[in-house]
Amino acid sequence: MANKFAVILAAGLGTRMKSKFYKVLHPVCGKPMVEHIIHNITKLQVSKTITVVGHGAEQVKAQLKDRSEFVIQEKQLGTAHAVMQAKALLKGKNGTTFVICGDTPLISTETLEALYEDHLQKQAKATILTAYAENPTGYGRVIRNAAGHVEKIVEHKDASEEEKKVKEINTGMYCFDNLALFEALEEVSNENSQGEYYLTDVIEILKAKNDTVTAFQTDNFSETIGINDRIALAQAEKIMRAKINERHMANGVTIIDPDNTYIDTDVEIGMDTIIYPGSFLKGKTIIGDDCHIGPHSELENAVVGSETNIRQSVVHDSSIGSRVNIGPYAHIRPQSTIHDEVKIGNFVELKKVDFGQGSKASHLSYIGDAEVGSNVNLGCGSITVNYDGKHKAQTKIEDDVFVGCNSNLVAPVTIKKNSYIAAGSTITEDVPEKALSIARARQINKEDYVKKLNLDK
Ligand code: UD1
Ligand code: CA
């Protein structure tokens, strides 16, 4: 099989983003743009992926790790200069090189494959991936001659009024014959409005040598948008979101209102689960079958079993079993494990808790740094007092415990199996098995008290 290489251009600062973060690290549907590209390129089975880094090099490297090789572009002198940095790794190698801008995260493997096939079939030295754009402002324009052959690419800023009318744009993605590419790059100059070495000039240089240069037009402009500013970022997010939602719907997930459902790329959802509007499913969230999520729930890195309902609630970095009911208005904070058939009701906050099967905290509780057994009932307003101002301490509540309303469990403390805590207690010592613990002042009724004060009505 012929050699395939990929060069991803990711050294730019992304000035138009007006951001302290490097452009290619801005997330689209939860994943940095450059990650999307790497992910799709991997499926092309290229033998070498080289990412050109400059601004934010360390962060980009840390993000991509061993999924790419890196070359540094110290000064961002243009896209041709950027590709040139890969010379030491690619020069003299036979094969086809994909060049892809790091700010086009929507491009699919299928389109890149079609580009490649066309490139091979036409035995071209360069094939430009082009698209038809209703509003081509900002993009390089593909200029064709009378016979329809590609002549050159003109950058928006360098284009004449006539050229600006052209709606076929350069997507910034190409297939090159690797040897021809590095030869032509040597000849690129920076005589243009931006004083940059444009990769797009390679086209004219190859043409002048009578090399075959062609364009492959995709009918899917939306896949090729380049993200230069926050407006394009929002557009890309919207397009990708729609695709993700369609994929889940095709797999048997009901999404009541796809325009108002925000699912990150890597999320998995089981069949017959219903996602209600205003829900955000982020990171590596995995949801089983027959769940009801939302409206207005936010799950991040949450693993959820099946037949579980999570209404108007937030779950982060936690796992939740099957047939669990959460919310409305619950907050499950990181490192919590909620077992099957649990109920976590209104205004309940959990943090770093192992919450046993069939147990309930139905209303207004804070349970943190705790281990809760099975079939435990935590009454309304139960609180684990886990923090003394300096240290966190652990509360252990064993199976079948009943905690009365408005109780404080001052950690470290263990409430042993099958015991009862009277409502309003502040528990500071361990409670033995099967005991009833009452830790509150005894009630005194002062008869005729009002009369004594002469406040009688
Ligand atoms: C580029 C193309 C334009 C095309 C558009 C498609 C050129 C000259 N222009 O324009 O024809 O329509 O993409 O989206 O190629 N980069 C570097 N080093 C540099 C300069 C840029 O690594 O010195 C990287 C950037 O980080 C970015 C990518 O190259 O990821 C494209 O650069 P950008 O400035 O966004 O180019 P455009 O003006 O969008
Ligand atoms: Ca761009």
Side-chain angles (χ1 to χ4, degrees):
M1 203 176 61
N3 275 328
K4 282 189 250 177
F5 314 109
V7 178
I8 300 165
L9 308 185
L13 178 59
T15 317
R16 290 165 280 182
M17 291 296 280
K18 306 247 167 73
S19 174
K20 56 186 165 303
F21 304 111
Y22 307 108
K23 177 159 80 173
V24 297
L25 293 180
H26 276 264
V28 178
C29 292
K31 224 187 219 181
M33 339 183 170
V34 68
E35 272 284 345
H36 288 288
I37 294 172
I38 291 279
H39 180 254
N40 286 341
I41 281 180
T42 308
K43 291 192 274 181
L44 290 169
Q45 293 175 317
V46 296
S47 55
K48 237 179 201 320
T49 300
I50 300 164
T51 306
V52 184
V53 291
H55 281 288
E58 291 314 311
Q59 283 97 320
V60 178
K61 280 184 186 175
Q63 177 68 40
L64 299 179
K65 300 197 180 81
D66 58 359
R67 278 166 294 155
S68 177
E69 293 176 60
F70 300 94
V71 292
I72 303 276
Q73 185 192 24
E74 295 288 353
K75 280 199 179 130
Q76 284 66 55
L77 302 178
T79 44
H81 181 256
V83 178
M84 200 57 161
Q85 309 311 305
K87 184 170 151 184
L89 295 175
L90 288 178
K91 207 183 170 202
K93 288 199 175 355
N94 272 310
T96 303
T97 301
F98 288 91
V99 175
I100 301 174
C101 293
D103 62 353
T104 53
L106 297 169
I107 192 65
S108 68
T109 309
E110 292 70 31
T111 301
L112 290 172
E113 251 159 15
L115 167 71
Y116 178 71
E117 290 307 321
D118 194 69
H119 177 75
L120 288 194
Q121 196 207 331
K122 299 204 171 118
Q123 299 185 325
K125 295 287 185 204
T127 307
I128 311 156
L129 180 66
T130 72
Y132 180 86
E134 259 323 314
N135 176 10
T137 308
Y139 289 97
R141 308 296 207 283
V142 178
I143 308 301
R144 293 175 183 263
N145 62 19
H149 297 302
V150 176
E151 279 289 302
K152 58 177 179 178
I153 297 168
V154 187
E155 287 309 292
H156 181 88
K157 286 183 180 157
D158 301 301
S160 66
E161 283 314 308
E162 227 18 66
E163 288 167 337
K164 278 191 182 135
K165 287 185 191 144
V166 172
K167 290 191 168 180
E168 185 179 20
I169 59 117
N170 170 27
T171 64
M173 293 172 256
Y174 323 77
C175 273
F176 290 105
D177 172 273
N178 187 62
L179 298 175
L181 169 65
F182 283 92
E183 260 174 46
L185 281 172
E186 304 281 355
E187 293 177 38
V188 174
S189 83
N190 62 351
E191 281 150 29
N192 51 56
S193 70
Q194 307 195 79
E196 284 187 8
Y197 295 90
Y198 290 163
L199 177 60
T200 45
D201 287 355
V202 163
I203 302 306
E204 261 179 291
I205 293 165
L206 292 174
K207 287 288 291 190
K209 292 182 182 168
N210 278 329
D211 280 340
T212 310
V213 174
T214 65
F216 174 72
Q217 194 186 104
T218 165
D219 52 14
N220 201 342
F221 168 68
S222 65
E223 255 191 29
T224 68
I225 64 172
I227 301 179
N228 295 327
D229 56 25
R230 308 271 180 162
I231 296 158
L233 181 65
Q235 284 164 345
E237 179 95 24
K238 192 170 180 178
I239 294 164
M240 195 177 284
R241 188 189 311 145
K243 262 197 197 172
I244 291 171
N245 288 349
E246 276 163 25
R247 169 162 55 85
H248 289 296
M249 291 188 278
N251 286 341
V253 176
T254 294
I255 298 180
I256 304 286
D257 183 0
D259 289 338
N260 290 294
T261 303
Y262 307 83
I263 304 177
D264 281 358
T265 326
D266 293 336
V267 171
E268 295 170 31
I269 310 174
M271 216 167 65
D272 289 319
T273 282
I274 303 176
I275 313 291
Y276 290 88
S279 294
F280 290 75
L281 309 180
K282 304 194 208 171
K284 302 245 177 281
T285 291
I286 302 174
I287 299 169
D289 294 350
D290 301 297
C291 292
H292 290 199
I293 309 294
H296 302 288
S297 288
E298 179 188 306
L299 278 63
E300 183 165 354
N301 303 324
V303 177
V304 180
S306 43
E307 296 174 60
T308 284
N309 305 324
I310 304 177
R311 293 185 291 151
Q312 284 103 346
S313 292
V314 175
V315 180
H316 277 195
D317 298 283
S318 291
S319 90
I320 294 169
S322 296
R323 297 171 302 285
V324 170
N325 279 302
I326 293 188
Y329 310 110
H331 187 185
I332 314 299
R333 291 169 52 200
Q335 298 183 53
S336 296
T337 303
I338 295 174
H339 296 267
D340 297 344
E341 283 129 21
V342 157
K343 180 174 182 211
I344 304 292
N346 337 237
F347 306 105
V348 173
E349 176 178 345
L350 258 51
K351 187 214 75 174
K352 238 183 181 177
V353 175
D354 190 282
F355 207 91
Q357 183 169 359
S359 292
K360 293 181 176 132
S362 300
H363 338 263
L364 302 160
S365 276
Y366 170 70
I367 311 294
D369 301 304
E371 211 178 291
V372 177
S374 58
N375 299 312
V376 167
N377 186 67
L378 297 172
C380 175
S382 301
I383 285 170
T384 54
V385 183
N386 63 330
Y387 187 48
D388 62 9
K390 279 194 177 144
H391 308 105
K392 299 279 166 72
Q394 212 43 39
T395 301
K396 190 159 189 247
I397 304 169
E398 295 184 352
D399 298 348
D400 303 307
V401 163
F402 182 97
V403 177
C405 291
N406 207 29
S407 297
N408 299 309
L409 310 176
V410 182
V413 71
T414 298
I415 318 299
K416 296 246 166 83
K417 267 190 177 181
N418 205 198
S419 60
Y420 282 72
I421 289 171
S425 294
T426 292
I427 302 293
T428 54
E429 281 161 39
D430 290 359
V431 176
E433 259 185 63
K434 299 191 178 170
L436 167 67
S437 184
I438 310 172
R440 64 179 188 224
R442 191 174 277 280
Q443 180 171 338
I444 303 168
N445 292 339
K446 300 201 173 182
E447 297 285 344
D448 292 328
Y449 184 73
V450 172
K451 222 180 232 167
K452 269 187 211 157
L453 291 176
N454 282 329
L455 289 171
D456 210 4
K457 280 186 186 153

